[in-house]
Amino acid sequence: MNELLEQINAEIATFQKESQANAEGNKAAGGRARKATLELTKLFKDYRKVTIEEAKK
């Protein structure tokens, strides 16, 4: 669970950095920000699965 949270936080940090760079005019950073959102979606689904399993215990 802790590893998953670390991955989520790292991906959020990546998204924030790249989206800011995109807002400043770096078009390539926009693609990296979008990629981070896809990875976050996967990680959030994994988080949901883990928390549901832990709640059943």
Side-chain angles (χ1 to χ4, degrees), residues 18 24 36 39 44:
E18 299 300 344
E24 294 171 356
E39 186 61 30
F44 287 146

Side-chain angles (χ1 to χ4, degrees), residues 14-16 18-20 22 28-38:
T14 299
F15 170 74
Q16 289 174 330
E18 299 300 344
S19 62
Q20 181 62 37
N22 185 33
R32 292 188 297 270
R34 288 190 298 275
K35 182 179 176 187
T37 62
L38 293 174

